[in-house]
Amino acid sequence: MNKTVDDMIEKLQKENEELKKENELLKTVIDRIHEAVYIVDQKDEIILYNTESEKMEGLDRKDLLGKKEEDVFAQPYYFSEEVTKKILKTGKSLINQPYWYNLNDGRKTNMIFSAYPFYYKGQITAVYVIFRNMNQLSDFIAITLEMQKKFFKMELSQDGAVYLLDDIISINSKMKKIKAEARKIARRNSPVIIVGETGTGKELFAQGIHNASLYSRGPFVPINCAAIPDTLLESLLFGTVKGAFTGAADMPGLFEQAEEGTIFLDEINSMSLSLQAKLLRVLQEKSVRRLGSKDRIPLHCRVISAANMDPIEAVKEQIMRSDLYFRLATITLNIPPLRERKEDIEVLARHFIKKYNHQFGLFVKDISEEVISFFEQYDWPGNVRELENFIEGAMNFIHSKEKMLQLDHVPEYFEERLFLLKLKKDPQNNTDYQYHKKAIHNGTLQDALLETEKTIIESTLMRNKGNISRSAKVLGISRQNLHYKLKALGITNKEL
């Protein structure tokens, strides 16, 4: 008899423990979802208030649980009478209803809610409400659209923006922080200016912001303000009407073409001051007037701009209007040059090798330590774009069976840069380097050509450890011809 009672007690304890575990699990899940959830019982007392509710309303659940709604929320408070108490009486749900009210700190919040009765043993014992702040809803939609673009990336080319923020490759802590900031600001419509040297990836960031925003359904319309004459740029930006000037036709400008999307104004600091004044008016009035027209057309697009120099300096030098800068620079992203994040060089080089493996049908799996060493010593004035161009050039010299990118594959134009860099770094060769500079800058054309030829031959011999046959093959000349050039140029192979 005692054993039976003990077994029953043990069974009840296990069941009770399982219920506690299930209850904790459900509470944890409710705290992790993106919707705000709270529950009131039949006495209209709050019995559950999740983390998202705390975030949305700026309250702490410890101050709410067990209390009536009207006792904890800012007055006047009508939600209890209009929703929860009403559902407790009628048992009818309310689905996807808009609602607004004032938070305890005085701010107005807009939300969409659904409220449902909870039945236990045939009786309504509680009402649970699920709601979402409209601003948070915008964030959720932006995240969803960006994820959709990841899944269906082939569709990106239709609107001109093919890159996502995740496509920006970097292990540098500063770049990671900038990417995180870009993702946050993407979900709003504030103007952004991206500052960085040529080749740092400003347009990649612009496309990434576009694709992570609510404007990603619309087009991405880029224009380089430095590449187009002012007279043409004005008509391209603002559009024209027939008869505005000889040959003019009815044509929407790029601002109109970017409707519900993003316009990207690259190298904005290159735009003339007079055109900057016209652009400022468009941004202030959020409308555009085509050349030759009296009518203004409302604009609904996001503006992202970029500058290849510090905008503050551009303002000081009167290259850029201060009022335009402050209008464009609600948010500023400063992209560091490659020389300031050299830990990214190898990562990017390997990425570009994979890219050109695919394009050229090659199977390169590695890059030599010597090449990486040169890369990390070089300053890369052309930044990531220059690095990619170099990798593409080197991949053109790789045979289909080769598995490693080495100095043998370096294009000639870059070969001299690397060799001169080595001379700079090596104090023993400083005299040779200074002589080389003098020959090029102060000598005749023939002197410069001979000195350049000597430099390239010495570099090739050095890389091939003095092997004449291999060096001749790399240089594309016969072994006999190389011996002749060594003698003519006074190159002693024993030191290489």
Side-chain angles (χ1 to χ4, degrees):
M1 179 71 176
N2 288 338
K3 188 176 185 308
T4 303
V5 172
D6 290 342
D7 288 346
M8 288 179 64
I9 292 173
E10 184 178 355
K11 183 181 178 183
L12 286 171
Q13 286 176 336
K14 284 183 178 179
E15 288 177 352
N16 187 48
E17 189 62 32
E18 285 298 317
L19 285 172
K20 283 183 179 179
K21 181 181 175 182
E22 183 179 341
N23 188 44
E24 286 299 316
L25 174 62
L26 291 173
K27 283 184 177 180
T28 301
V29 171
I30 290 172
D31 265 341
R32 293 295 181 270
I33 62 176
H34 293 291
E35 286 80 10
V37 179
Y38 81 95
I39 302 173
V40 296
D41 62 14
Q42 65 268 36
K43 295 182 290 184
D44 197 37
E45 292 178 354
I46 301 168
I47 59 174
L48 186 143
Y49 191 80
N50 76 340
T51 302
E52 196 65 29
S53 298
E54 291 181 311
K55 289 179 185 176
M56 193 180 103
E57 298 185 317
L59 300 173
D60 191 322
R61 72 182 82 183
K62 296 195 298 290
D63 300 327
L64 281 74
L65 295 178
K67 298 179 180 178
K68 293 183 180 294
E69 292 178 87
E70 55 264 32
D71 293 336
V72 293
F73 294 116
Q75 299 299 320
Y77 185 77
Y78 304 110
F79 193 80
S80 176
E81 293 295 333
E82 295 175 354
V83 179
T84 51
K85 286 181 180 178
K86 187 176 181 180
I87 291 175
L88 283 169
K89 290 177 184 177
T90 65
K92 294 181 180 180
S93 302
L94 292 170
I95 311 296
N96 292 332
Q97 298 295 308
Y99 200 85
W100 73 268
Y101 62 98
N102 290 321
L103 300 177
N104 286 14
D105 62 5
R107 286 181 296 130
K108 177 182 173 182
T109 186
N110 299 300
M111 68 174 183
I112 294 176
F113 77 90
S114 294
Y116 308 87
F118 174 74
Y119 287 88
Y120 185 73
K121 293 184 178 180
Q123 298 292 320
I124 299 175
T125 60
V127 174
Y128 58 100
V129 184
I130 303 169
F131 55 101
R132 183 178 288 278
N133 182 293
M134 289 300 290
N135 290 333
Q136 293 172 334
L137 186 62
S138 298
D139 289 350
F140 179 75
I141 292 170
I143 293 169
T144 304
L145 289 173
E146 185 182 17
M147 292 303 298
Q148 184 185 48
K149 294 231 174 186
K150 288 181 183 178
F151 289 126
F152 303 103
K153 200 166 179 183
M154 291 300 292
E155 297 178 5
L156 293 178
S157 59
Q158 295 177 4
D159 64 14
V162 298
Y163 293 105
L164 303 168
L165 288 171
D166 286 344
D167 293 324
I168 298 171
I169 297 168
S170 178
I171 59 173
N172 175 267
S173 57
K174 188 173 182 181
M175 283 289 286
K176 287 181 178 179
K177 182 181 178 183
I178 294 168
K179 282 175 63 176
E181 290 172 350
R183 196 177 300 281
K184 288 179 184 176
I185 64 175
R187 298 164 195 168
R188 306 291 184 264
N189 61 357
S190 300
V192 181
I193 186 166
I194 305 170
V195 181
E197 295 177 8
T198 298
T200 49
K202 297 187 292 296
E203 185 165 348
L204 265 67
F205 271 94
Q207 291 190 24
I209 292 169
H210 168 78
N211 281 324
S213 74
L214 294 174
Y215 295 94
S216 62
R217 288 285 188 186
F220 177 82
V221 182
I223 183 163
N224 189 317
C225 301
I228 302 168
D230 256 17
T231 50
L232 180 57
L233 183 59
E234 184 176 0
S235 59
L236 281 174
L237 286 173
F238 308 140
T240 58
V241 295
K242 190 174 182 179
F245 51 84
T246 304
D250 287 323
M251 182 183 72
L254 296 181
F255 273 99
E256 288 180 67
Q257 293 175 41
E259 181 72 8
E260 301 298 335
T262 301
I263 185 167
F264 175 53
L265 305 171
D266 196 9
E267 296 195 40
I268 190 74
N269 52 293
S270 299
M271 185 183 289
S272 71
L273 293 174
S274 60
L275 190 51
Q276 287 182 35
K278 295 175 182 178
L279 174 61
L280 177 64
R281 184 168 184 178
V282 168
L283 297 176
Q284 286 175 333
E285 298 181 359
K286 295 183 179 179
S287 63
V288 66
R289 187 171 62 191
R290 293 185 187 180
L291 295 184
S293 173
K294 296 180 181 178
D295 301 322
R296 301 200 71 84
I297 301 167
L299 295 177
H300 303 95
C301 66
R302 183 175 198 167
V303 178
I304 300 177
S305 56
N308 56 12
M309 67 177 293
D310 184 349
I312 300 295
E313 288 300 316
V315 170
K316 287 180 181 177
E317 295 177 18
Q318 298 185 339
I319 296 172
M320 189 172 186
R321 291 176 59 106
S322 59
D323 46 7
L324 177 63
Y325 165 65
F326 292 120
R327 173 67 62 175
L328 293 171
T330 303
I331 299 162
T332 302
L333 295 179
N334 287 289
I335 314 301
L338 191 55
R339 64 181 173 276
E340 292 180 8
R341 48 186 177 101
K342 291 200 171 182
E343 65 268 40
D344 283 343
I345 290 174
E346 184 173 352
V347 178
L348 287 164
R350 293 184 183 279
H351 167 73
F352 293 134
I353 285 172
K354 287 181 182 178
K355 175 180 176 179
Y356 291 104
N357 269 339
H358 178 72
Q359 285 192 21
F360 298 160
L362 297 171
F363 301 93
V364 178
K365 295 181 179 179
D366 207 354
I367 184 168
S368 75
E369 290 183 8
E370 191 176 13
V371 173
I372 293 297
S373 176
F374 272 126
F375 280 5
E376 290 176 349
Q377 293 176 68
Y378 185 56
D379 279 343
W380 299 103
N383 293 291
V384 180
R385 185 180 297 138
E386 184 182 9
L387 175 60
E388 180 176 4
N389 287 345
F390 167 77
I391 296 294
E392 181 181 1
M395 296 285 278
N396 275 276
F397 292 97
I398 290 181
H399 296 298
S400 58
K401 293 183 180 179
E402 292 182 290
K403 307 294 184 185
M404 180 179 286
L405 189 148
Q406 303 186 72
L407 280 180
D408 289 350
H409 307 120
V410 173
E412 284 189 16
Y413 76 91
F414 204 85
E415 189 174 280
E416 185 182 354
R417 295 186 211 173
L418 298 182
F419 182 67
L420 292 177
L421 177 62
K422 193 173 183 71
L423 291 175
K424 278 184 179 179
K425 300 293 181 181
D426 185 354
Q428 294 180 353
N429 288 314
N430 189 54
T431 302
D432 293 337
Y433 175 66
Q434 294 300 331
Y435 173 75
H436 177 84
K437 280 178 65 178
K438 185 176 179 181
I440 290 177
H441 293 290
N442 299 331
T444 64
L445 176 60
Q446 183 65 23
D447 291 336
L449 292 172
L450 287 172
E451 188 58 34
T452 300
E453 185 179 17
K454 180 180 178 182
T455 300
I456 293 171
I457 290 173
E458 286 178 334
S459 170
T460 306
L461 284 166
M462 184 183 296
R463 287 191 285 108
N464 290 284
K465 298 178 180 179
N467 187 300
I468 297 293
S469 298
R470 216 163 39 228
S471 298
K473 186 178 179 181
V474 171
L475 292 166
I477 60 178
S478 68
R479 195 172 184 277
Q480 183 180 3
N481 195 9
L482 179 54
H483 273 298
Y484 168 78
K485 287 182 178 293
L486 291 178
K487 186 177 180 180
L489 294 168
I491 300 172
T492 51
N493 192 22
K494 63 180 181 180
E495 296 176 1
L496 298 171

